[in-house]
Structures are given as structure tokens and as C-alpha cells.
Amino acid sequence: MDLQATLDLLAGCDIQFRRETRLDIALVKNLPIALIFLPAADIPTFVGEGRVDLGITGRDQVAEHDAQLPPGETSGVEEVLDLGFGACKLQVQVPQKGDITEAKQLVGKNVVTSFTALTQAFFAKLEGVSDASSLSTKIKYVGGSVEAACALGVADGIVDLVESGETMKAAGLKAIDTVVESTAVLVKSKNTKNELVELIASRIRGVITAQKYVLCQYNIPREKLATACKITPGKRAPTVTALEEPGWVAVSSMVEKKTIATVMDELTAVGATDILVLNIANSRTG
């Protein structure tokens, strides 16, 4: 997970703190809360047990935590918001030069991973068994450098996280299946009663929205307003204001940043003028 992206997110929420060197806890200066810096894999456990109210970790880590729960036990972790960064996939990988092209060919063989619960569930489904203890596939845990397992002869295949794919290719591996797709997520304890949880979640939601959208403003003849509004429908609806010039209106609308160039082209084509695009520093939207 991207630590800097998380720190930038907290800064955008005006959560002011100073983390002293080697300390894993920091007190927030302007709110009565404390930040605890934990390994991503540990966060769902602390949140699920109610020791921590809110957490930022990978969806893959939450899924692994939930997969480890005893039968019948409900997870205490609830996803609040997809944060949109740290995208990766937990994938089944095998040597590029080998004969294996499908995950089912690994059944009964050795598989190494840091995500044993998810991997066991994946292969249990392939083998058609309900109990991981009945698996014929031998799943072994390795905490790091999982990609080296095949080259060292420890495994026939691995299940590991893939971001750009460069590490996988450098290790001579190829992906043949996907177990889980993941991004960074904001999670909360289902048992929390802390009133600040919704405040912090609202602030984070506002920052994420501000990062995702820009504000597009333009002038358009009133008779073409309906067509223009189909191009820029906004989060709820565009804001329309009459201009001093008869027959013209000004429109202000939130537009996804990734589509703004195309939107500007389409607005120009339908007669919009004076098109401006403004960055959004923060937001509170419905």
C-alpha cells in the first residue's frame, strides 16, 4: 500500500500530526485522536476486534483476514470507502517457460504464498472440497520474496500481489489467474461508537472526490442547454445561471478529471464558449 498517498490523504483532511522517528503512534494536534502505524496485514485484525476505530489497508488484506475466520464467525471489519490508489491483483503465477497454463494444473502440487487463507479457499473451490484440510494442493507460507520460490525449487507456482508486473516478469513468471483485485480501502470496526468516525470518513470522502473531479464552467445558448447538460450532468445536477446577454446561460458542473479533455471537445462542438476548468481543493458532496 502507498504510504505517501495515505499521508497526503490525511493532510488533505487537515489531520495534523508529527510522527517521531521509530515511533508507531502519533497524537493528532487538532483532533482528539491517535494515529497508529501498523503493517497492512495487521490492520484488519485490530479494526475487526474493535481496538482501532478506522483503518486504511488493502482490500486484499481484509479479504485474507475474513478468510481466516472460523466457520460461522462474522467479520468485524466493514469497508467504508474505496480510496482509489494502491491498485493491484493477487494472482496465481507460474514459470514462463513451464507447461502450466491454467490454475487447475497446480492442483496437487506445491504453491507458495503470503496469503494462505485466500489461496486455500481458491484451490478448495478448484478441487471441489469445503475443508482446507482436505486439499491435495500443498500450500506453504512465505512472508517475503515469494517470487523467488519457483526459481529456488520450493514451489511449482505462487500466489502473490502484482502491481505493474515488472517484478513478476523479472523473476521469469507469468500470471495465469486472479484470486482478488485490490485497492486501498478505508475500513471501520462494526462495533465502534466513536462519534469522530463519521467525521473523519466524511473528510476523507471529500478529499477523494476533490482528487477525482474538476469543476467545469462554460457559457452556452439556452436552446442548447439540454444537450450540454447531457455532456456535463454533474454529481447531482449542473448549476445554471442566466447571463446578462439574452438567450445565454452559464453552467458549472463537476466532471471526472480523466474525461475532461473529451468533455471540452464535446462542449465546443455543441456551441459552448469560455470553457474553464478549475481544480477542487476539497469538497462535501451528496
Side-chain angles (χ1 to χ4, degrees):
M1 192 175 66
D2 191 332
L3 176 59
Q4 189 56 51
T6 301
L7 295 177
D8 291 343
L9 185 61
L10 295 176
C13 296
D14 193 30
I15 295 176
Q16 302 171 17
F17 68 96
R18 179 178 177 180
R19 183 185 181 186
E20 299 293 341
T21 307
R22 297 184 181 179
L23 287 182
D24 290 333
I25 188 167
L27 296 179
V28 174
K29 299 176 183 178
N30 57 338
L31 286 170
I33 60 176
L35 300 179
I36 304 171
F37 296 85
L38 298 167
D42 293 344
I43 291 173
T45 298
F46 283 88
V47 173
E49 293 183 359
R51 309 298 180 181
V52 175
D53 296 297
L54 280 170
I56 294 176
T57 188
R59 184 177 284 119
D60 54 297
Q61 301 292 353
V62 177
E64 175 70 8
H65 167 269
D66 290 354
Q68 293 174 358
L69 295 173
E73 184 174 327
T74 303
S75 174
V77 182
E78 179 182 335
E79 182 176 323
V80 178
L81 182 65
D82 186 332
L83 300 177
F85 60 84
C88 59
K89 296 179 180 179
L90 184 64
Q91 294 189 311
V92 183
Q93 303 167 36
V94 294
Q96 290 179 352
K97 297 180 180 179
D99 299 326
I100 298 176
T101 57
E102 296 179 290
K104 64 182 180 182
Q105 292 175 266
L106 285 171
V107 170
K109 298 183 183 295
N110 294 318
V111 176
V112 163
T113 184
S114 299
F115 294 81
T116 53
L118 285 173
T119 302
Q120 286 170 351
F122 178 83
F123 279 96
K125 188 174 181 180
L126 282 182
E127 294 188 31
V129 298
S130 57
D131 188 352
S133 63
S134 304
L135 283 174
S136 63
T137 307
K138 303 171 187 65
I139 298 170
K140 303 175 183 177
Y141 173 81
V142 173
S145 302
V146 179
E147 70 277 358
C150 292
L152 295 174
V154 178
D156 300 293
I158 67 170
V159 175
D160 199 18
L161 289 176
V162 177
E163 295 180 23
S164 65
E166 294 302 317
T167 301
M168 176 182 67
K169 291 176 183 177
L173 300 171
K174 63 181 178 182
I176 58 172
D177 212 330
T178 298
V179 178
V180 170
E181 293 192 14
S182 179
T183 57
V185 291
L186 177 70
V187 295
K188 73 173 183 178
S189 169
K190 290 182 179 178
N191 300 315
T192 184
K193 294 180 173 60
N194 194 317
E195 295 177 355
L196 288 173
V197 165
E198 186 50 45
L199 173 69
I200 301 303
S202 178
R203 287 190 182 188
I204 291 176
R205 193 176 289 110
V207 173
I208 294 298
T209 299
Q211 292 173 346
K212 187 178 179 181
Y213 288 85
V214 290
L215 189 65
C216 182
Q217 298 179 333
Y218 57 91
N219 298 331
I220 189 88
R222 184 173 286 280
E223 71 265 16
K224 297 180 180 178
L225 176 61
T227 302
C229 287
K230 290 180 181 178
I231 300 170
T232 59
K235 281 276 287 180
R236 178 167 299 176
T239 300
V240 181
T241 308
L243 293 179
E244 289 295 325
E245 185 173 347
W248 281 78
V249 294
V251 180
S252 180
S253 182
M254 291 175 66
V255 176
E256 277 198 85
K257 191 177 294 185
K258 65 183 180 182
T259 66
I260 188 60
T262 302
V263 165
M264 293 175 74
D265 294 339
E266 293 176 357
L267 287 173
T268 301
V270 299
T273 63
D274 307 312
I275 304 172
L276 301 176
V277 177
L278 308 174
N279 285 325
I280 302 171
N282 210 325
S283 70
R284 289 290 193 278
T285 61

